[in-house]
């Protein structure tokens, strides 16, 4: 079955750029969506269809998807960006199911 | 503004059935542009999709849970429900309900989430 692979953690200094990867076989052929989850809260959508940003999400959040890797980029990281981030796709090839990556904890140093 | 809210028992005994309801306000679950689904998160772990339905359309379940899961809908109350049978401690999790945008006839991204409810499986 299809697997999404994320690094467990990413550390970044304030003002720097955080890049969170989501690996999967030919993931560039799928639509990837990204969520931010802070402790004790429900996830919120930060990027959908690889690159689109919902209203209210800062322009500092951007996405890309090509080949075997999708990437969520957070520019000018702020303390409030510290959270867990999950990628998500629809796997309609091996199984008909929604799949989440394992999640990446972003720590702001 | 769309609001979704989970409700149900916080404690279920092993081998019994977990039952949760998601109440939806500010939007119709009969929408043709949105799936409605359940996602769970075991303590300290990641998100796991359980299943989603489109009113008048398809219902999809996570293959490894399909034998134990049923999602049903009550349009008169604008709510939908989750039943998970034969639970074990491994089913202990925060359960979220969410609205998902339709993408090419299948459930895509979750654009609205409930706050989640913790269900513990224990005797």
């Amino acid at each position: 079955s299809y697997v999404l692979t994320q690094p467990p953690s990413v550390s970044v200094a304030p003002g720097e750029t955080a890049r969170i990867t989501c690996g999967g076989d030919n993931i560039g052929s799928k639509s990837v969506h990204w969520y931010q989850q802070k402790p004790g809260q429900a996830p919120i959508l930060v990027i959908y269809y690889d690159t689109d940003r919902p209203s209210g999400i800062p322009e500092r959040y951007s996405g890309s998807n090509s080949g075997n890797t999708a990437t969520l980029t957070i520019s000018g990281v702020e303390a409030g960006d510290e959270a867990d981030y999950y990628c998500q796709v629809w796997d309609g090839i091996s199984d008909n199911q929604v799949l989440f990556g394992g999640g990446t904890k972003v720590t702001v140093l | 503004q769309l609001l979704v809210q989970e409700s149900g028992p916080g404690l279920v005994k092993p081998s019994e059935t977990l039952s949760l309801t998601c109440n939806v306000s500010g939007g119709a679950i009969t929408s043709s542009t949105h799936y409605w689904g359940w996602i769970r998160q075991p303590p300290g772990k990641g998100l796991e999709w359980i299943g989603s339905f489109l009113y008048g359309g398809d219902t999809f379940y996570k293959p490894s849970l399909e034998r134990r899961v049923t999602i049903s809908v009550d349009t008169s109350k604008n709510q939908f429900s989750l039943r998970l049978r034969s639970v074990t401690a491994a089913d202990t999790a925060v359960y979220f309900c969410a609205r998902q945008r339709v993408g090419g006839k299948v459930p895509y991204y979750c654009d609205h989430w409930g706050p989640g409810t913790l269900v513990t499986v224990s005797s």
Side-chain angles (χ1 to χ4, degrees):
Chain A
S1 61
Y2 198 77
V3 176
L4 296 175
T5 301
Q6 297 183 236
S9 62
V10 167
S11 298
V12 59
E16 297 298 309
T17 296
R19 293 181 179 84
I20 305 153
T21 59
C22 178
D25 185 32
N26 196 26
I27 195 173
S29 67
K30 300 181 182 296
S31 292
V32 180
H33 320 293
W34 291 90
Y35 303 89
Q36 175 195 72
Q37 186 182 32
K38 296 183 178 180
Q41 298 182 17
I44 63 168
L45 181 71
V46 293
I47 292 289
Y48 63 103
Y49 284 126
D50 300 337
T51 59
D52 291 347
R53 222 176 20 255
S55 60
I57 300 301
E59 292 182 9
R60 302 184 295 103
Y61 285 77
S62 63
S64 63
N65 184 18
S66 178
N68 293 319
T69 304
T71 303
L72 173 68
T73 300
I74 311 172
S75 304
V77 165
E78 302 173 355
D81 298 324
E82 187 163 288
D84 293 325
Y85 292 83
Y86 296 89
C87 59
Q88 179 243 307
V89 301
W90 169 260
D91 172 27
I93 297 179
S94 54
D95 293 298
N96 281 332
Q97 62 177 330
V98 172
L99 278 177
F100 288 95
T104 298
K105 168 67 176 178
V106 170
T107 299
V108 181
L109 301 171
Chain B
Q1 180 183 356
L2 183 79
L3 292 174
V4 291
Q5 176 78 50
E6 309 86 355
S7 63
L11 181 65
V12 181
K13 290 182 169 55
S15 80
E16 296 191 345
T17 296
L18 179 159
S19 296
L20 294 174
T21 297
C22 182
N23 188 67
V24 178
S25 60
I29 62 172
T30 55
S31 165
S32 62
T33 58
H34 292 93
Y35 277 81
W36 301 88
W38 290 96
I39 298 101
R40 69 181 182 179
Q41 185 172 36
K45 297 188 178 181
L47 300 170
E48 179 184 34
W49 173 76
I50 299 171
S52 305
F53 77 94
L54 174 67
Y55 182 77
D58 292 319
T59 299
F60 297 98
Y61 296 118
K62 182 178 178 68
S64 61
L65 296 174
E66 188 164 14
R67 292 182 298 107
R68 298 195 291 133
V69 174
T70 302
I71 296 176
S72 58
V73 59
D74 185 340
T75 57
S76 66
K77 296 180 180 179
N78 209 41
Q79 63 186 26
F80 61 100
S81 298
L82 170 71
R83 286 173 57 85
L84 180 64
R85 296 174 288 278
S86 303
V87 297
T88 69
D91 295 309
T92 293
V94 175
Y95 286 76
F96 298 98
C97 60
R99 188 181 78 169
Q100 292 176 271
R101 186 73 186 185
V102 171
K105 299 183 181 181
V106 298
Y108 263 26
Y109 55 89
C110 302
D111 59 4
H112 282 85
W113 295 69
T117 187
L118 174 63
V119 179
T120 301
V121 178
S122 175
S123 55

